[in-house]
Amino acid sequence: MGCNANAVWGEFAAKINSKQGARVDLQIITGSPTMDDIPSKKALGKRNLKKRVGAKLNSKMILLMTTHREPLKSLTDQTHNDVICRWIDNPECHIIVKPHPVEVLDNTLLELDDRITVITEQNLLHPLIKAAHCIVSPASSILIPALAMNTP
């Protein structure tokens, strides 16, 4: 890692960084241990989650995570457009967008095809990450739960 130390939310996040090669003594726990209980979180189960979001039971869910900060937002929007163009017509895939809450407040979310499911409910975030076939996201803290749940 290209830094002197890492601020992490809790022990679990520190262990993830250490497994990726970061020195254990340079993982500084800052609080907000909501990530520490990820392994114990009860997922809705893929079947129930897919029903809830309107995905076919045999589909692969592609989860697109957005951001509101430029210049990353423009780059992320372009990447998401590329993913959407490539996979929207594939009947084996279901695209889900989980917008950053600020994008929802500012009404700056990318204009999306009606076949794409937009999920704004925060309580579905971890179940979506767990159930997704893959996640496309800018580099952000949202990737910590994905790493913890082994979601590519």
Side-chain angles (χ1 to χ4, degrees):
M1 298 189 148
C3 54
N4 294 331
N6 295 305
V8 295
W9 294 313
E11 291 291 334
F12 193 75
K15 287 178 187 174
I16 290 171
N17 286 348
S18 297
K19 285 181 182 178
Q20 296 298 318
R23 286 181 33 194
V24 174
D25 61 320
L26 295 179
Q27 305 309 298
I28 313 301
I29 297 173
T30 59
S32 187
T34 56
M35 296 300 167
D36 280 346
D37 69 348
I38 285 175
S40 66
K41 285 192 181 290
K42 299 274 187 209
L44 286 176
K46 281 188 181 183
R47 185 178 200 85
N48 289 336
L49 184 64
K50 285 181 177 184
K51 283 182 181 178
R52 187 161 177 182
V53 300
K56 293 178 187 172
L57 295 181
N58 62 345
S59 67
K60 294 178 181 176
M61 293 190 298
I62 300 172
L63 179 58
L64 307 179
M65 306 292 295
T66 70
T67 186
H68 66 289
R69 294 186 186 270
E70 290 294 354
L72 197 52
K73 178 178 173 28
S74 295
L75 296 170
T76 301
D77 286 353
Q78 181 57 53
T79 299
H80 288 170
N81 268 327
D82 293 345
V83 170
I84 290 166
C85 286
R86 171 65 179 89
W87 297 104
I88 189 75
D89 292 321
N90 185 323
E92 296 179 9
C93 297
H94 187 88
I95 300 173
I96 298 173
V97 172
K98 174 62 181 82
H100 190 283
V102 172
E103 279 188 304
V104 175
L105 289 172
D106 292 347
N107 199 26
T108 58
L109 181 63
L110 184 66
E111 194 168 319
L112 298 167
D113 187 287
D114 290 341
R115 296 173 286 175
I116 296 170
T117 303
V118 177
I119 302 292
T120 57
E121 300 165 71
Q122 280 302 115
N123 64 324
L124 290 179
L125 179 59
H126 289 151
L128 280 169
I129 290 171
K130 179 111 178 111
H133 179 71
C134 67
I135 298 172
V136 180
S137 172
S140 85
S141 59
I142 200 60
L143 295 177
I144 298 293
L147 284 170
M149 293 185 229
N150 294 318
T151 303

